[in-house]
Amino acid sequence: MIIRRLISTSILRAAISFVVLSASVPAQAQKFFSFQKDSIPMFRGFAVSFDLVGAGMMAFSDCGQYEGALRINLHDEWFPIIEAGLGRSNHDDDVTHIHYSTSAPYFKIGVDKNLLKDKHGVNRLYGGLRYAFTSYKVDISRADFPDPVWLWNTGYGVKDAQCNQHWLEAVIGVDAKIFGPLHLGWSLRYKRRIAHKEGDFGNTWYVPGYGNFGDTRLGGTFNVIIDI
């Protein structure tokens, strides 16, 4: 309840700030948030995409994610986007011999803006922002080992510990047309955790969609994009 109250308060404050700012920003800033006036229609279709970086991590390391996205094209300038994925981890610590595993979906919603002067070109440079959320369960265990004092076997285990996390992502990326509806693109992400809930066992090693534990984190994607 506390996390929900904090998030609701943050959203309300952001909305009020946006209204106040919109009334006072200079003309140049208002131009940035407007649509370029020409004969091109507002709705220009949508695109679906799939990230290869997360899939590669899933295949060749002990954590990663499968992630896809649906993006709407508004006048080749603004691109509302929904991203969703499945993050997994199956990690053994070489020092502590503790095993960590989780598997859960995550969701992101946001918007990108085409930063190029030629808005209707086949290639794009964009900047954007995402709000992301995941609710996940973790299993933590350690194989039995002899107690150094009493010499009997002892172990450690946590099963289905309920956790969640909210974070923001600042995005910068490119989108290049290859041929027909096929595009390739990459993005860099700066992630900032804004709220989280974890069990009494401490920090979780991996958060689905976010990565290894921490307040801030850098990440990236390499996307195969199909315009529809």
Side-chain angles (χ1 to χ4, degrees):
M1 294 298 294
I2 295 176
I3 292 177
R4 291 182 179 177
R5 195 178 304 118
L6 288 172
I7 294 173
S8 300
T9 302
S10 300
I11 293 175
L12 179 60
R13 288 176 178 174
I16 294 174
S17 300
F18 180 78
V19 172
V20 173
L21 184 62
S22 298
S24 59
V25 291
Q28 190 65 26
Q30 291 184 359
K31 183 178 179 181
F32 176 84
F33 289 104
S34 65
F35 287 96
Q36 192 176 73
K37 294 182 179 180
D38 52 36
S39 60
I40 301 298
M42 174 69 70
F43 180 70
R44 299 278 285 161
F46 59 92
V48 293
S49 63
F50 182 75
D51 172 39
L52 298 182
V53 172
M57 292 175 59
M58 185 81 81
F60 300 108
S61 71
D62 53 7
C63 66
Q65 60 274 338
Y66 298 121
E67 180 177 297
L70 174 65
R71 182 177 66 187
I72 299 174
N73 183 344
L74 300 179
H75 201 253
D76 295 329
E77 293 186 63
W78 291 94
F79 300 86
I81 187 168
I82 297 174
E83 298 172 331
L86 176 67
R88 290 179 178 173
S89 175
N90 193 24
H91 172 71
D92 289 298
D93 191 286
D94 294 333
V95 177
T96 64
H97 303 291
I98 292 176
H99 178 76
Y100 174 90
S101 64
T102 186
S103 178
Y106 60 91
F107 306 93
K108 305 177 186 180
I109 186 170
V111 64
D112 294 330
K113 178 178 174 60
N114 188 355
L115 303 178
L116 295 180
K117 185 176 181 180
D118 180 11
K119 304 297 183 185
H120 307 302
V122 296
N123 302 318
R124 302 175 186 125
L125 169 68
Y126 60 86
L129 187 66
R130 307 281 189 274
Y131 161 75
F133 168 78
T134 184
S135 178
Y136 60 103
K137 295 179 180 180
V138 298
D139 295 338
I140 302 175
S141 62
R142 192 191 191 286
D144 289 347
F145 60 98
D147 185 278
V149 177
W150 303 104
L151 301 181
W152 57 49
N153 285 338
T154 185
Y156 173 79
V158 174
K159 181 71 173 177
D160 290 338
Q162 185 66 55
C163 309
N164 63 62
Q165 180 161 303
H166 305 255
W167 71 95
L168 297 176
E169 295 185 7
V171 183
I172 186 75
V174 297
D175 180 338
K177 181 175 181 177
I178 304 304
F179 62 87
L182 177 64
H183 292 236
L184 294 178
W186 58 263
S187 72
L188 295 177
R189 312 280 180 113
Y190 175 79
K191 306 176 184 181
R192 176 71 180 182
R193 189 180 65 186
I194 55 176
H196 67 108
K197 175 186 176 182
E198 297 177 296
D200 297 332
F201 54 85
N203 301 333
T204 54
W205 183 79
Y206 170 82
V207 179
Y210 182 83
N212 296 104
F213 176 84
D215 289 338
T216 60
R217 180 172 175 80
L218 293 175
T221 65
F222 184 81
N223 301 306
V224 177
I225 306 162
I226 305 294
D227 276 340
I228 300 174

